[in-house]
């Protein structure tokens, strides 16, 4: 009797285990099928399309035709990532107004570099093609942007300061390219250039707020000093007209374009007048 009772108990345990194993297997199989369907590429894109376009349908209640388009989904994922990265930038201050103005100043400074590289300025003024001549022509274009930035309050001041910083960084870089390693020479040169920079600012500002005669005098003294014996009044007038034209054009630049993107441009450089020999 005892043996029979034990046998019956064992059969009951085995039967219950079999039932439990079967249930576990069915649950496992069901879960695997769920995971497989969820991570199948086509099903995944379809599911994502339904979630993102829930409640959005075309006329007649049909779903949009591009819901199952992998390219559309990829673009949506990219857009989500872009928005996430931008959100991180906002949190970190990357898109603050001051940061935008500082980056805009860099774009504007590069525009100055492009404009100053035109040979017409060297040919018109008769300046030698050297570092000092680059300094004078580049400073002229930086000054014109500074005039525009001064009209924009505190953000304009941020733009203005960063623009000047880029200019001096460029000056130092070019001095290094010239292999000026002597500390005394570098210090003395920097002092002279700094004095020249602010002297030019004062001279051009005075000419801008007064009249063309004062502006022409500043241009003559600072940009035609190598050709005072050969340069003509027409040459000076050409450069004065160029300055007036570009300052006026920069006044028309939208503040947002200036302070957020540095979207500025200069017109054609002044033409070189050729005197007739007749």
């Amino acid at each position: 009797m005892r043996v029979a009772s034990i046998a019956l108990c064992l059969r009951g345990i085995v039967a219950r285990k079999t039932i439990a194993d079967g249930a576990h297997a069915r649950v496992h199989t069901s879960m695997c099928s769920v995971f497989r369907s969820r991570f199948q590429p086509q099903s995944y894109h379809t599911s994502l399309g339904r979630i993102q376009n829930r409640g959005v349908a075309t006329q007649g209640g049909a779903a949009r035709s591009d819901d199952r388009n992998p390219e559309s989904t990829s673009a949506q994922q990219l857009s989500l990532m872009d928005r996430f990265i931008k959100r991180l930038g906002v949190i970190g201050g990357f898109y603050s107004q001051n940061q935008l103005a500082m980056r805009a100043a860099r774009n504007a400074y590069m525009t100055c570099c492009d404009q100053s590289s035109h040979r017409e300025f060297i040919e018109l003024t008769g300046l030698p093609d050297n570092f000092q001549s680059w300094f004078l022509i580049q400073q002229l274009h930086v000054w014109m942007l500074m005039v525009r930035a001064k009209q924009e309050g505190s953000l304009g001041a941020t733009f203005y300061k960063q623009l000047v910083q880029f200019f001096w960084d460029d000056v130092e870089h070019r001095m290094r390219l010239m292999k000026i390693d002597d500390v005394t020479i570098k210090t003395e040169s920097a002092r002279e250039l700094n004095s020249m920079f602010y002297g030019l600012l004062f001279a051009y500002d005075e000419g801008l707020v007064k009249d063309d005669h004062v502006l022409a005098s500043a241009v003559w003294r600072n940009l035609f000093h190598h050709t005072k014996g050969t340069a003509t009044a027409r040459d000076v007038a050409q450069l004065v007209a160029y300055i007036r034209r570009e300052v006026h054009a920069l006044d028309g630049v939208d503040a947002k374009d200036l302070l957020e993107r540095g979207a500025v441009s200069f017109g054609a450089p002044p033409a070189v007048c050729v005197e007739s020999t007749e």
Side-chain angles (χ1 to χ4, degrees), residues 84-196:
F84 175 72
I85 293 173
K86 186 171 183 179
R87 177 69 58 152
L88 288 179
V90 170
I91 295 172
F94 187 75
Y95 293 98
S96 68
Q97 289 184 319
N98 282 336
Q99 288 293 325
L100 287 174
M102 292 170 71
R103 293 197 295 276
R106 182 186 183 279
N107 294 337
Y109 183 77
M110 296 306 295
T111 301
C112 289
C113 292
D114 292 339
Q115 187 70 4
S116 299
S117 66
H118 287 287
R119 292 287 306 175
E120 286 86 344
F121 295 105
I122 294 292
E123 294 170 359
L124 179 65
T125 60
L127 290 169
D129 192 359
N130 58 22
F131 170 78
Q132 186 176 7
S133 300
W134 167 85
F135 181 93
L136 292 171
I137 296 170
Q138 183 75 347
Q139 190 274 346
L140 175 66
H141 291 88
V142 169
W143 165 74
M144 287 191 276
L145 284 178
M146 291 167 67
V147 170
R148 175 64 184 87
K150 287 177 182 178
Q151 305 172 29
E152 300 301 334
S154 60
L155 282 179
T158 299
F159 180 96
Y160 173 115
K161 292 175 183 176
Q162 192 64 39
L163 184 70
V164 173
Q165 184 61 52
F166 282 129
F167 177 72
W168 287 116
D169 289 345
D170 200 1
V171 168
E172 291 181 8
H173 172 69
R174 291 170 187 266
M175 290 178 71
R176 285 195 299 270
L177 292 178
M178 293 188 297
K179 307 297 183 183
I180 300 177
D181 299 322
D182 189 283
V183 176
T184 303
I185 295 176
K186 288 176 66 174
T187 302
E188 186 63 27
S189 298
R191 186 182 298 112
E192 291 177 1
L193 292 172
N194 188 69
S195 177
M196 185 187 300

Side-chain angles (χ1 to χ4, degrees), residues 62 68 80 85 100 115 137 162 203 211 228 239 253 260 267:
R68 302 187 182 210
L80 288 171
I85 293 173
L100 287 174
Q115 187 70 4
I137 296 170
Q162 192 64 39
D211 54 36
K228 286 184 177 179
L239 192 50
V253 174
E260 293 187 5

